[in-house]
């Protein structure tokens, strides 16, 4: 039995560059992996494929992204499926933190390790892209520039440990719905290159100034509690942003006094907060 951590992700930037002919959106995003992680147990050498998840909002069996990843892995290997997978969720679900995609990538890594690494990283990346747009980035990192619909990845220098305060307003959002809503709204794209360069030279001020997410307006339109949360945090003087398509938001590089104050605000407003950090 292999036990593997499946980390959450944070979009430091998210640019939406237009809709493609295949219906996907062209994006550019600087993504950091977080210490917040699901736990995935993988046992091989059994007949069939059994995937279980301990979260009531996440399907066990074929509806789970980890199931699709395992099935495609065995197809590539050219043999029938033989694994038991158990997922213990710690990452908030449908929050923009990429939990399902990360579980799928963890399963690909675990299965490949269990079978003596017969598939190259390029082939694993191909399978990952078939499972979902966000899956390939979890095979790279800890700091990555993601382009295309998520399949073009470049590892970035400058991954350092930074405290991150995640603030969840409650509810959930479908990624597809937010992207579709963004088609009708003016987009304000952040500059991924500026954040990548600032991370490389460890210029915290420039990182903070260039964080941003083009989906913010669409996510706030779909789920107004996000707009209220961001407005409250910004009024209190914090640099707060949306991660992915939301609804989870974050304060970057939050020191203990910020964590204390935002936690008090969260008690008043009914938000959930989680303290984590980026991976080096
Ligand atoms: P994305 O932006 O890729 O949608 P997200 O972080 O917003 O990511 P997830 O937590 O990955 O959202 O969940 C998205 C949907 O995927 C949920 O509705 C959930 O039921 C489904 N899902 C399938 N497998 C998983 C899994 N292993 N973990 C979490 N959700 C899963």
């Amino acid at each position: 039995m292999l036990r593997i951590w499946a980390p959450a992700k944070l979009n430091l930037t998210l640019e939406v560059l237009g809709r493609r002919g295949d219906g996907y959106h062209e994006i550019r995003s600087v993504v950091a992996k977080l210490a917040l992680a699901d736990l995935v147990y993988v046992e091989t050498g059994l007949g069939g494929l059994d995937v279980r998840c301990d979260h009531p909002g996440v399907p066990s069996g074929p509806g789970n992204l980890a199931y699709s990843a395992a099935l495609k892995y065995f197809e590539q290997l050219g043999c029938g499926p033989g694994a038991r997978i158990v997922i213990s969720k710690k990452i908030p679900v449908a929050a923009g933190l990429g939990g399902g995609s990360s579980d799928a990538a963890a399963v690909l890594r675990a299965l490949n390790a269990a079978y003596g690494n017969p598939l190259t990283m390029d082939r694993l990346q191909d399978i990952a892209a078939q499972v979902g747009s966000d899956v390939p980035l979890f095979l790279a990192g800890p700091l990555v520039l993601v382009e295309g619909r998520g399949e073009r990845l470049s590892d970035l220098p400058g991954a350092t440990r930074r405290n991150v305060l995640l603030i969840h307003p409650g509810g959930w959002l479908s990624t597809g719905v937010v992207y579709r809503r963004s088609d009708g709204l003016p987009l304000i794209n952040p500059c991924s290159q500026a954040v990548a360069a600032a991370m490389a030279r460890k210029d915290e001020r420039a990182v903070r100034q260039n964080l941003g997410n083009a989906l913010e307006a669409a996510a706030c339109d779909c789920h107004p509690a996000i707009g209220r949360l961001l407005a409250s945090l910004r009024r209190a003087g914090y640099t707060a942003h949306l991660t992915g398509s939301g609804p989870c938001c974050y304060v970057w590089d939050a020191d203990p006094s910020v964590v204390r104050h935002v936690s008090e605000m969260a008690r008043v407003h009914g938000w959930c907060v989680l303290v984590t950090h980026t991976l080096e």
Side-chain angles (χ1 to χ4, degrees):
M1 162 96 67
L2 279 172
R3 193 186 78 148
I4 184 163
W5 292 101
K9 57 95 175 153
L10 195 71
N11 297 87
L12 303 187
T13 61
L14 181 50
E15 298 178 63
V16 179
L17 305 171
R19 206 188 176 116
R20 304 161 22 139
D22 59 8
Y24 287 99
H25 285 79
E26 187 80 11
I27 62 143
R28 189 187 295 128
S29 179
V30 174
V31 180
K33 285 192 196 167
L34 297 176
L36 172 69
D38 291 340
L39 250 180
V40 181
Y41 299 87
V42 178
E43 194 177 355
T44 50
L46 311 150
L49 183 56
D50 185 30
V51 175
R52 288 177 198 201
C53 182
D54 66 357
H55 191 291
V58 174
S60 289
N64 199 295
L65 286 174
Y67 189 100
S68 316
L71 207 59
K72 286 187 195 303
Y73 181 85
F74 285 112
E75 268 167 34
Q76 280 289 311
L77 218 55
C79 62
R84 196 161 74 90
I85 296 164
V86 178
I87 302 166
S88 172
K89 289 301 291 183
K90 319 274 181 223
I91 304 172
V93 173
L97 294 164
S101 302
S102 187
D103 296 342
V107 163
L108 292 177
R109 281 190 287 133
L111 287 176
N112 210 35
Y115 284 92
N117 293 310
L119 300 191
T120 60
M121 185 46 82
D122 280 353
R123 282 183 75 191
L124 286 186
Q125 287 284 8
D126 285 345
I127 304 174
Q130 290 168 35
V131 178
S133 297
D134 276 352
V135 184
L137 75 89
F138 287 102
L139 295 172
L143 187 66
V144 208
L145 179 70
V146 180
E147 293 174 281
R149 73 166 177 98
E151 77 290 1
R152 290 208 312 277
L153 303 168
S154 325
D155 280 317
L156 293 172
T160 44
R161 181 182 163 136
R162 286 281 169 266
N163 290 333
V164 172
L165 180 59
L166 299 174
I167 311 111
H168 196 303
W172 59 276
L173 266 179
S174 149
T175 303
V177 167
V178 175
Y179 270 98
R180 280 194 291 281
R181 186 68 59 92
S182 76
D183 288 337
L185 294 169
L187 290 171
I188 303 168
N189 278 323
C191 180
S192 298
Q193 264 135 11
V195 168
M199 290 292 283
R201 58 174 199 275
K202 306 208 183 313
D203 181 344
E204 271 311 314
R205 212 172 128 196
V207 171
R208 200 184 284 272
Q209 279 170 350
N210 287 288
L211 298 170
N213 187 327
L215 292 176
E216 183 181 310
C220 292
D221 212 39
C222 296
H223 190 38
I226 299 171
R228 291 195 292 272
L229 183 154
L230 287 171
S232 301
L233 291 172
R234 288 170 184 167
R235 261 199 313 274
Y238 301 122
T239 311
H241 292 284
L242 183 77
T243 179
S245 54
C248 197
C249 299
Y250 66 95
V251 172
W252 177 251
D253 204 13
D255 66 29
S257 67
V258 175
V259 172
R260 266 196 307 277
H261 184 218
V262 175
S263 300
E264 280 164 24
M265 292 173 72
R267 261 194 299 280
V268 174
H269 292 281
W271 309 327
C272 286
V273 292
L274 268 171
V275 185
T276 183
H277 61 84
T278 49
L279 297 178
E280 289 183 72

